[in-house]
Amino acid sequence: MLTHVKRSVALMTLALLLASCASKPPVSLVTPLPPVSSHPLPGKSHNNHETMRGVWLATVSRLDWPPVSSVNISNPATRNRVQQKALTDKLDKLKSLGINTVFFQIKPDGTALWPSKILPWSDTLTGHIGLDPGYDPLLFMLDEAHKRGMSVHAWFNPYRVTTNTKPGTVSELNRTISLNPASVFVLHRDWIRTASDRFVLDPGIPEARDWITSIVAEVVSRYPVDGVQFDDYFYAESPASTLNDSQTFQKYGHGFASKADWRRHNTQQLIEQVSRTIKQLNPDVEFGVSPAGVWRNRSHDPMGSDTSGAAAYDEAFADTRLWVKQGLLDYIAPQVYWPFSRKAARYDVLAKWWADVVKPTNTRLYIGVALYKVGESSKNEPDWTVNGGVPELKKQLDLNESLPNVNGTILFREDYLNQPQAQEAVSYLKNRWGS
């Protein structure tokens, strides 16, 4: 009972604190955007690009980096040395495997892995949102990768604010009210929705899209990144946890035949805005997206692929094929995470479909390959365990290299290179790609 009273008092104190803060909200710091032209500006010539051999390096939930145990090191200098050593060890291994590009997740949610004026520091580094780790992970990655002759693409999750909606997460977000910058969760609570049991931004709000664009502009204007990539989380929802954007649709959806068309328009607006902004700040920085492998199924659209998988157009409200046709992207990296034998979404069917899509355009095509499935037993996809998954991986890489419009491969994701079940495949990659 006493504990309950204490908790009630604490909650009342927090409510009063937030109420007093809310009367004078912090200013939302947004990087001024450059003027937007009516068409994307041309980037550099891509004729001399070497074949992409890339890997995604995820920081969300510390999946690939930093080491989970490093967050518990109380001495900041020691913690930073451990994190930096872990990253350089990874880069050395990637270099030995012949990997030439790292897609480094610098915005895993509503936090940053660089000293941003818009986002608070990521808790992946220290365990606490907004706590300065004492070094700049993005700059460190760029310096170390470039030293090794490797490119770095800054990977952003545009709309995700958190990976869960737990009370502890809400409390930590609310505590950022005293920080500069504070979390978007407290600065712009009216932009926040819940979907797939996460806090996300509502893509239908123009100011939210401006805010995302300003974050990309901050990075491109301050860092020598080789590229910027958005992943496939645009409208991220599940049947059990949908995004409630009914009021936003009422406000902004006039003139659209359906909410689905309006949602695709919103995603399109973001891609156009970010594309133009990057090209105006630095035409040499490449912009790409890594969408779900299926654009649309032929059963829904004669232009679609001969598949029956979840489609980006219909489920994430992302018309990825249109972005390629309009020249908004320097590259597209569809996640083709199935083997040749998976009838619903055959690897070869999708790789050839995408190769045909990019053929008349200047957009390069990198295929995302499911390293995470290699060596893992699967009832529906047994091919991944045959001889350690090497024959399936070889077929996929052979096909990529045989199709003239496929410019490379990206592996999802880095830590699977260290897993026991993938070691036969890692040896194969080293023999095939390594110097």
Side-chain angles (χ1 to χ4, degrees), residues 234-235 237 259-261 263-268 311-319 323:
F234 294 107
Y235 277 86
E237 59 181 3
K259 183 189 272 192
D261 286 345
R263 282 182 165 189
R264 276 185 286 274
H265 169 77
N266 296 332
T267 313
Q268 173 86 14
Y313 182 97
D314 300 291
E315 304 203 15
F317 303 94
D319 193 347
W323 305 342

Side-chain angles (χ1 to χ4, degrees), residues 351-402:
K352 290 173 182 175
W353 184 88
W354 278 108
D356 286 341
V357 169
V358 302
K359 188 175 182 179
T361 75
N362 291 318
T363 306
R364 290 185 310 288
L365 172 60
Y366 309 134
I367 305 285
V369 166
L371 177 67
Y372 72 98
K373 290 184 176 180
V374 170
E376 288 280 4
S377 58
S378 166
K379 183 181 176 183
N380 294 324
E381 300 179 3
D383 309 72
W384 295 116
T385 53
V386 176
N387 295 329
V390 172
E392 178 63 35
L393 182 61
K394 180 181 184 301
K395 277 201 299 187
Q396 296 190 7
L397 297 179
D398 285 349
L399 180 64
N400 290 358
E401 291 182 11
S402 72

